[in-house]
Amino acid sequence: QVQLVESGGGLVQAGGSLRLSCAASGRIFRFNAMGWYRQAPGKQRELVANIISSGRTNYADSVKGRFTVTRDNAKNTVYPQMNSLKPEDTAVYYCNADLWTITGVRSKYWGQGTQVTVSS
């Protein structure tokens, strides 16, 4: 049906930058929103940033001013640019897509997750 493929995680020092990407493919008709969540050990999964269909972006307070999310509509891909990374940004980052399929079903899909580790 729909697949989300993530890339770009890794190890970086505090103050550094990483750029993730998430490409969606499959029987997609229209996106409602696409973005990223993260989950650190022992914590709940939380929204990091997303872009809704109008193009408006939403960010967690903890990443405002440091992270920027953009999208390439032609490629069905979302890119979060993460700057000034902090050790507390360490988590598994998950891509999420809220979309309508071509069969008229609205569903939410998750990527497999990519580890981001920020060393102090």
Side-chain angles (χ1 to χ4, degrees):
Q1 285 222 21
V2 175
Q3 297 81 38
L4 302 180
V5 178
E6 303 156 343
S7 62
L11 173 65
V12 65
Q13 288 188 331
S17 299
L18 280 176
R19 186 181 189 231
L20 307 181
S21 69
C22 174
S25 63
R27 301 164 66 86
I28 300 167
F29 175 67
R30 181 172 59 87
F31 287 94
N32 295 310
M34 193 169 177
W36 289 80
Y37 287 69
R38 67 186 180 188
Q39 188 167 19
K43 294 187 177 181
Q44 289 188 332
R45 191 172 295 189
E46 62 175 358
L47 174 69
V48 177
N50 69 359
I51 298 180
I52 64 175
S53 56
S54 66
R56 184 169 63 89
T57 54
N58 300 295
Y59 295 93
D61 288 342
S62 59
V63 307
K64 284 180 181 177
R66 300 188 297 121
F67 290 14
T68 303
V69 61
T70 58
R71 69 183 177 189
D72 183 331
N73 291 329
K75 297 181 179 179
N76 286 340
T77 300
V78 172
Y79 304 96
Q81 176 68 43
M82 307 187 296
N83 300 325
S84 302
L85 284 162
K86 304 176 180 180
E88 50 264 43
D89 294 317
T90 296
V92 178
Y93 284 68
Y94 295 92
C95 180
N96 173 267
D98 176 356
L99 55 85
W100 289 92
T101 67
I102 62 174
T103 57
V105 176
R106 180 178 179 177
S107 296
K108 293 184 179 182
Y109 295 87
W110 291 93
Q112 76 279 8
T114 185
Q115 177 69 46
V116 171
T117 302
V118 184
S119 62
S120 57

